[in-house]
Amino acid sequence: EVRVVESGGGLVQAEGSLRLSCAASGFIFEDYTIGWFRQAPGKEREGVSCISSMDGSTYYADSVKGRFSISSDNAKNTVFLQMNSLKPEDTAVYYCAAGWIPCSAVPASQFNAFDAWGQGTLVTVSS
């Protein structure tokens, strides 16, 4: 069973940092793409970042470029999303998802193309 579990959310002040983790199991980690998405109250789910072992590509939404960084630890089957210079508008539930698809699926909002989704972790940024 393909499974991913997020952790690392919490409450942080504006300009602070958090590191989210996405722990994966049930599949060959090196063959998969991991995407990060977020959904704020009353807003649609949006793609934030992605890292793909299929072609070595990464993706960042314009709203997080220069502030967020995605990385992968294959030995631990874990992907990290380092979030710096957080803003109140970054407040949302953050989800990671795994799929055997390229990172282009994230900005294309191809949610159904991902095989597994985590339960989400809440990030709250206070002003």
Side-chain angles (χ1 to χ4, degrees), residues 44-61:
E44 294 186 351
R45 188 177 357 174
E46 63 171 337
V48 175
S49 185
C50 177
I51 187 166
S52 176
S53 297
M54 297 176 67
D55 57 6
S57 64
T58 57
Y59 163 81
Y60 297 97

Side-chain angles (χ1 to χ4, degrees), residues 69-115:
S69 176
I70 193 168
S71 62
S72 175
D73 185 337
N74 290 348
K76 296 182 179 180
N77 283 8
T78 301
V79 167
F80 302 100
L81 185 67
Q82 179 66 43
M83 307 187 297
N84 299 327
S85 301
L86 283 162
K87 305 175 181 180
E89 52 263 44
D90 293 317
T91 295
V93 177
Y94 284 71
Y95 301 90
C96 71
W100 198 59
I101 48 177
C103 273
S104 57
V106 174
S109 298
Q110 295 176 343
F111 306 130
N112 291 337
F114 287 87
D115 298 318

Side-chain angles (χ1 to χ4, degrees), residues 3-7 21-25 29 76-79 96:
R3 188 165 179 256
V4 292
V5 179
E6 308 94 338
S7 62
S21 299
C22 176
S25 62
F29 186 72
K76 296 182 179 180
N77 283 8
T78 301
V79 167
C96 71

